[in-house]
Amino acid sequence: MTNLVEVRNLRIEATTDAGRIVEIIKGVSLDIANGEIVALIGESGSGKTTVALSLMGYARPGCRITGGEINVNGKNMAALSEKQRARLRGTDIAYVPQSAAASFNPSSTIMEQVIEVTRIHGLMPPEQARKRAVELFRALSLPDPEGIGARYPHQVSGGQLQRLSAAMALIGDPKLVIFDEPTTALDVTTQIDVLKAFKSVMRAGGIAGVYVSHDLAVVAQIADHIVVLKGGQVQETGTTAQILSAAQHPYTRELLAAFEPKPRQAHADADAGAKPLLRIDNVTAGYGAVRDNGLPLIRAVDSVSLVVEKGRNLGIIGESGCGKSTLARVIAGIHPAAAGDIIFDGKELQRAAGKRSQDQLREMQIVFQYADTALNPAKPVEDIVSRPLAFYHGLDRQARSKRVDELLDMVRLPRTLRYRRPSELSGGQKQRVNFARALAAGPKLIICDEITSALDTVVAAAVIELLKELQRELGLSYIFISHDLSVVEAICDEIMVMYNGERVEQITPDRLKAPTHPYSKLLFSSVPKLDPTWLDGLVRDPELVSQYGHR
Amino acid sequence: MTSGVLNLVLKRLAIAVVTLMIVLFAVFFATSMLPGDTASILLGQAATPEAVAGLREAMHLNDPAILRFLRWLFGLLHGDLGTSYANEMPVAALIGGRFVNTMELAGITTLLSVPLALTLGITAAMLRGSLYDRTVTVLSIGVISVPEFMVATLAVLLFAVYLKWLPALSSVNEAHTLTDLVRIYAMPVITLTFVISAQMIRMTRAAVIETLSTPYVEMALLKGASRSRMVLKHALPNALGPIVNAVALSLSYLVGGVIIVETIFNYPGIAKLMVDAVATRDLPLIQSCAMIFCLGYLLLITVADIIAIMSNPRIR
Amino acid sequence: MTRVAASGRSFLGHSYNLVGIVASLVILVWMLIAIFAPTIIPHSIGDIVDDDYFGPMRQGLWLGSDYLGRDMLSRVLMGARYTVGISLAAVAIACFSGVMLGMTAAVIGGWVDTCLSRFLDAMNSIPSKLFGLVVVAAVGSSIPALILTLAVIYIPGAYRFARALAVNINTMDFMTVARVRGESTAYLIGSEILPNIIRPVLADFGLRFVFIVLLLSGLSFLGLGLQPPLADWGALVRENIGGLPFAAPAVIIPSLAIASLTISVNLLIDNLPQKIRDRDA
């Protein structure tokens, strides 16, 4: 056997809630050479995590490895007993989870958990293990490598936890490390540090790796080979360069196409009679006790002003915690502002939604990120979409039914879906229903709060296309809130960058290459590119990073 | 202890005090609705209206309820539980010895049932789905589903009627030797242990199973940890809060259990005293007994909540 | 590529299992008996039909006779009427009020929620049997008084349960969407929250029914529940407890009746029909 890992014709079955057995991995084969990093890429439900976990001989509860060979370092994980597998876990093969925050035991110190592998397998005395851990902390460029181990998981940030979980994986000197979407939950500026740290320790140790991800650009930075999965089957395998430059399979091409810059339509009425639809002036909002000056203790949004013109779109971009979602809720009146004015369609709005008129509420709709929680799971699609029709427009049953059909057509959903409940729809379909409900009100402005973030790349691209089409047909305006620059770039006429509750810069998409504010520079330069040399070639101003790389 | 924990604990104690006031008032209010005029009951059928009126005056029965409540509360704070209507003895004296008896019964039951239930609950969770687990689960559902008196009667049938190992009735005063003592306590303790263990087993099992499905336990598995390590090092410390709550909540079933058990086995505790007091409408006695039970219950859940607060590393 | 793994059967998009079916049959039988008891009892419950007391089971007296020589079968069947009837009425009142209050508190929030929660939590910290003892002693043991007492004792629990569920639903984005649409509190409660919590609330209804049956039986056993000549199952055990030393059917049968009902409800809750969710698109 020449390769470290040889998977042959792997089959895994899952038992559903109702007791049906479904094959979720349908004959997957793949190889990993010593010291090589292979990426498993695919959308949610493609089976990439299931395949990666099977390398440890593990299948999640309800799943079962039913066929094939999983040879790792000369041993067939599928045929070993549970005891024998446990002996290899942590020593031969280690795992870095998607959410480090959930994967650390909250009631034990970080150091205890990092060196647990050495205790379980009796690898070295605890003193030595601790020293080794501190070395790893340093190699992963964690702050305060001597002291961080004494803390509890909730006392360190997400980006640090992710690196700590890599230390936890590396302490047993594994031959193979499985990374399960380790940077998906992180902000882009943090993601860079984590990726760099991973790459350098893997390279230094000559360790082989499996990198599970849905993000081609991230994978391009770290992987030698790419395996594209869909529906539990391998679609295409190749070196990173091959996949990026000469993809054969249509699905791979679709993934790549989502990265290509979209042609932007120029607005015919671009500068002609552009009238402001929404203007907010010096709005401040936050949480916590209200102080003497009438402002809250913690300001999530601090003196922000913005203008949205009729038929045009404003993008708001920033990292988690920058206040962009709070700003959306302030505009919609869900979280009343503490100070400032909101002027909509020429009239000043009350700060709280409860005090606004029904027409004002109708004309400004908000669409949330997670269609799962935004759609009532107990109601069929037609009830969800027709409620605004009855509530705002007082349509009778027949008129509602007709209008529901039209709305489903508008969001490109088959009319037969109207009888389904949200749980019976795919992620993209749910988000379209979510959007159809907002359209049902007949709004002038739709606030889209991260509406594509929970979707797979290809699905998200289609939703954005739909939004553009609807805008042309209905003359809507959008406020588009996202952490993903490419999404905002694709649809917005103006982009506002937020940091720490404040608006730091507002620019147009064609000037994205040359932001003026240092934070915008850092943020824009941190977005991974498809180019595999991008990460290694990336030079960031250390002063900028220390000032704004807050995590 | 950081100030955060201290704050939470103080807040919890404040809630306990407010709850206690509401409960005390509810008990007082309910008992003052007891049917029949207390004065005429005390004086019997032959009493003249003047005598009844005089007694009412002397007992302050004509004062508004809130005033009587405050007077009663004031008395409580000075350790004055009032005087029994039935035999004109101070309530404190009536309760004294019996309180000790009840505490003995409850204490022995707790010492026996807590370790037993925790062991069964945790092991059942570890061996989830096994024959052992299913047996424990079915048995505990069975015990929870039947009234306490049925557990007691079954115990009597089994140990006293068929096996003839133990006497059906208890009489603490006849205890001279250790074997006597065991024989006296055995039946009530067995019954109570069954009653409160069942609930504890179920809740402990559920709490451990829930933590076993967390990502950090999966992580431990992927580090090569053994089943027992996953449970003891990773699941248990995090299930501590829910388990302590389960224990406290189950111990509160002691109150209900004790009422039935003391009656059925004729055990001289305060629960028996209270059931008798309800029959004779002995107001001060009912109030005091009810108050003791509520106080005990409140103490248990407050202590459990405080332990749960302190066992949470996120606050600690 | 699909096979069925579990041994469940499916019907109308739900899968059932054997335990659940048996349990529902037992419950159904007791419900029917509770309704039709007066017409199916072989003897009047007051008639002394046996020369002996605690008579054994035999032809004509299928469940033996009680401590006065009355027919146990008739008395147990009539007992079902009281035990099931009173408990069902009480649990209906308790759950309806508790769930309504719970949902309202969760949706309105603020001081309404705080006051209601604080008060009902305090009520909840009076042990149920003790509560029952004190209140029954105060207001008497007539059937309406018993129903109300039992209901009041279990309102706080039903409230707490429904409120916890509703609070979770209340944080969902669809609630925010409905709020900014301008919907009324009544719509939020009835149309957005209730359909999402109805399943667990029904399970809780069953559980609380068991609690109430047990408490009612316990009170009657103490002689503080239903008063003679009426007798529910708990009272039947009490009046025949003298038969315990010779294991008379008169004391065993009512106990078994209680157990069969409560265990069945518990088993049904654990084995509710599962909606088959993953049907293919």
Side-chain angles (χ1 to χ4, degrees), chain A residues 241 319 353 406 444 486:
Chain A
E319 294 180 304
E406 290 168 14
K444 292 181 174 166
S486 65

Side-chain angles (χ1 to χ4, degrees), chain B residues 15 19 23 30 33-35 141 144-150 153 156-157 161 255-256 259 263-264 274 278 290 293 297-298, chain C residues 118 122-127 129-130 134 137-139 214 217 221-222 237 241 244-245 247 255 258-259 262-263 266 270:
Chain B
I15 289 175
T19 309
V23 168
M33 292 194 326
L34 275 177
I141 288 191
I144 289 172
S145 306
V146 302
E148 293 98 340
F149 65 77
M150 197 170 144
T153 45
V156 170
L157 267 183
V161 177
V255 175
I259 293 176
T263 312
I264 235 180
M274 184 176 166
V278 170
F293 279 123
Y297 183 92
L298 209 57
Chain C
R118 188 59 54 239
M123 287 323 221
N124 213 9
S125 61
I126 303 177
K129 202 149 283 147
L130 187 78
V134 172
V139 298
L214 296 183
S217 306
F221 179 79
L222 290 175
V237 177
I241 195 77
L244 190 58
S255 304
I258 298 171
T262 50
I263 291 178
N266 266 332
D270 286 353

Side-chain angles (χ1 to χ4, degrees), chain C residues 67-133:
Chain C
Y67 75 116
L68 292 176
R70 296 175 294 196
D71 176 36
M72 264 323 278
L73 178 62
S74 308
R75 292 186 68 78
V76 168
L77 294 185
M78 276 305 273
R81 195 175 173 83
Y82 297 118
T83 297
V84 174
I86 292 175
S87 305
L88 213 52
V91 76
I93 298 174
C95 283
F96 181 78
S97 338
V99 170
M100 276 316 197
L101 286 174
M103 290 195 298
T104 312
V107 168
I108 294 180
W111 64 268
V112 175
D113 183 24
T114 311
C115 290
L116 213 52
S117 296
R118 188 59 54 239
F119 177 71
L120 287 173
D121 273 355
M123 287 323 221
N124 213 9
S125 61
I126 303 177
S128 59
K129 202 149 283 147
L130 187 78
F131 203 139
L133 218 63

Side-chain angles (χ1 to χ4, degrees), chain C residues 153-207:
Chain C
I153 291 174
Y154 284 100
I155 285 177
Y159 165 85
R160 206 176 186 177
F161 184 78
R163 182 185 167 276
L165 289 172
V167 161
N168 277 338
I169 301 288
N170 198 33
T171 60
M172 297 281 175
D173 287 337
F174 63 80
M175 289 298 291
T176 312
V177 169
R179 276 208 177 86
V180 284
R181 198 188 299 138
E183 300 281 7
S184 64
T185 305
Y187 175 86
L188 294 177
I189 291 172
S191 206
E192 299 283 354
I193 291 190
L194 189 60
N196 283 296
I197 65 171
I198 191 73
R199 261 182 88 87
V201 160
L202 285 179
D204 183 62
F205 182 92
L207 215 58

Side-chain angles (χ1 to χ4, degrees), chain A residues 276-496:
Chain A
L277 176 65
L278 173 80
R279 206 183 80 217
I280 72 172
D281 289 324
N282 289 313
V283 160
T284 296
Y287 306 89
V290 177
R291 291 179 305 169
D292 296 342
N293 57 3
L295 297 179
L297 188 62
I298 302 147
R299 288 190 215 169
V301 174
D302 201 350
S303 302
V304 171
S305 303
L306 60 82
V307 174
V308 181
E309 282 161 1
K310 270 193 183 127
R312 310 199 57 179
N313 305 327
L314 174 73
I316 302 176
I317 192 159
E319 294 180 304
S320 54
C322 74
K324 57 188 190 304
S325 276
T326 306
L327 180 58
R329 299 171 84 85
V330 165
I331 296 172
I334 299 163
H335 184 106
D341 300 321
I342 304 172
I343 293 136
F344 182 63
D345 214 10
K347 290 198 191 68
E348 177 150 5
L349 287 187
Q350 292 283 337
R351 287 176 189 158
K355 292 181 184 156
R356 296 182 186 172
S357 78
Q358 191 167 316
D359 256 345
Q360 288 172 334
L361 292 174
R362 180 182 68 76
E363 287 174 348
M364 184 196 291
Q365 292 287 309
I366 183 163
V367 179
F368 289 108
Q369 172 176 11
Y370 297 106
D372 278 327
T373 66
L375 303 179
N376 190 334
K379 292 182 169 188
V381 168
E382 64 177 338
D383 285 9
I384 293 173
V385 177
S386 63
R387 178 63 192 172
L389 299 174
F391 186 79
Y392 290 127
H393 305 289
L395 297 186
D396 63 20
R397 180 181 288 273
Q398 228 175 349
R400 284 206 303 264
S401 174
K402 193 164 156 277
R403 184 74 185 134
V404 168
D405 275 343
E406 290 168 14
L407 286 163
L408 289 178
D409 288 348
M410 266 192 217
V411 296
R412 314 278 183 275
L413 284 176
R415 293 181 175 186
T416 48
L417 285 191
R418 62 187 299 162
Y419 305 112
R420 298 242 191 126
R421 279 164 208 275
S423 60
E424 294 161 349
L425 302 177
S426 72
Q429 287 173 331
K430 273 183 258 190
Q431 203 55 284
R432 281 162 196 260
V433 172
N434 200 1
F435 207 75
R437 174 175 56 190
L439 289 178
K444 292 181 174 166
L445 175 70
I446 300 182
I447 304 169
C448 304
D449 188 4
E450 299 262 15
I451 62 167
T452 57
S453 307
L455 301 177
D456 291 312
T457 333
V458 177
V459 182
V463 168
I464 295 290
E465 276 314 302
L466 172 72
L467 258 56
K468 283 195 206 166
E469 283 173 36
L470 289 172
Q471 174 159 46
R472 274 198 298 272
E473 289 166 26
L474 305 171
L476 298 166
S477 297
Y478 300 129
I479 292 182
F480 211 94
I481 288 157
S482 181
H483 67 280
D484 186 343
L485 188 62
S486 65
V487 171
V488 173
E489 194 183 347
I491 194 165
C492 295
D493 304 288
E494 291 274 334
I495 295 172
M496 179 177 125

Side-chain angles (χ1 to χ4, degrees), chain B residues 100-311:
Chain B
V100 174
N101 286 346
T102 298
M103 287 312 286
E104 273 172 12
L105 184 57
I108 297 174
T109 308
T110 307
L111 286 181
L112 213 64
S113 58
V114 172
L116 177 81
L118 291 188
T119 315
L120 285 174
I122 292 166
T123 47
M126 284 170 75
L127 304 171
R128 190 184 180 186
S130 67
L131 184 68
Y132 170 75
D133 175 34
R134 274 181 285 169
T135 315
V136 170
T137 307
V138 167
L139 281 182
S140 53
I141 288 191
V143 174
I144 289 172
S145 306
V146 302
E148 293 98 340
F149 65 77
M150 197 170 144
V151 178
T153 45
L154 279 178
V156 170
L157 267 183
L158 184 64
F159 295 110
V161 177
Y162 286 127
L163 298 174
K164 296 190 176 25
W165 289 352
L166 301 163
L169 299 179
S170 304
S171 175
V172 177
N173 300 333
E174 288 169 15
H176 298 301
T177 64
L178 191 66
T179 20
D180 280 354
L181 216 60
V182 170
R183 285 163 60 89
I184 288 160
Y185 282 112
M187 295 294 297
V189 166
I190 289 172
T191 308
L192 276 178
T193 304
F194 262 104
V195 168
I196 66 169
S197 297
Q199 194 67 25
M200 227 185 300
I201 291 169
R202 262 172 85 79
M203 290 165 78
T204 307
R205 178 178 173 276
V208 174
I209 282 181
E210 196 179 322
T211 31
L212 276 178
S213 65
T214 55
Y216 52 82
V217 172
E218 182 180 68
M219 189 64 226
L221 174 102
L222 293 176
K223 284 182 189 172
S226 61
R227 186 96 185 134
S228 56
R229 188 182 182 93
M230 287 191 289
V231 171
L232 298 176
K233 289 282 282 192
H234 294 280
L236 263 191
N238 293 295
L240 197 63
I243 288 178
V244 171
N245 258 318
V247 170
L249 213 66
S250 310
L251 288 182
S252 70
Y253 279 66
L254 263 176
V255 175
V258 141
I259 293 176
I260 298 283
V261 164
E262 289 190 0
T263 312
I264 235 180
F265 295 107
N266 208 11
Y267 181 94
I270 37 173
K272 179 85 173 66
L273 186 69
M274 184 176 166
V275 173
D276 294 344
V278 170
T280 55
R281 289 167 183 158
D282 194 341
L283 198 69
L285 199 50
I286 298 175
Q287 283 168 349
S288 301
C289 292
M291 193 198 64
I292 288 173
F293 279 123
C294 290
L295 210 62
Y297 183 92
L298 209 57
L299 200 69
L300 270 175
I301 49 177
T302 307
V303 168
D305 274 4
I306 290 176
I307 293 180
I309 289 172
M310 305 226 272
S311 75

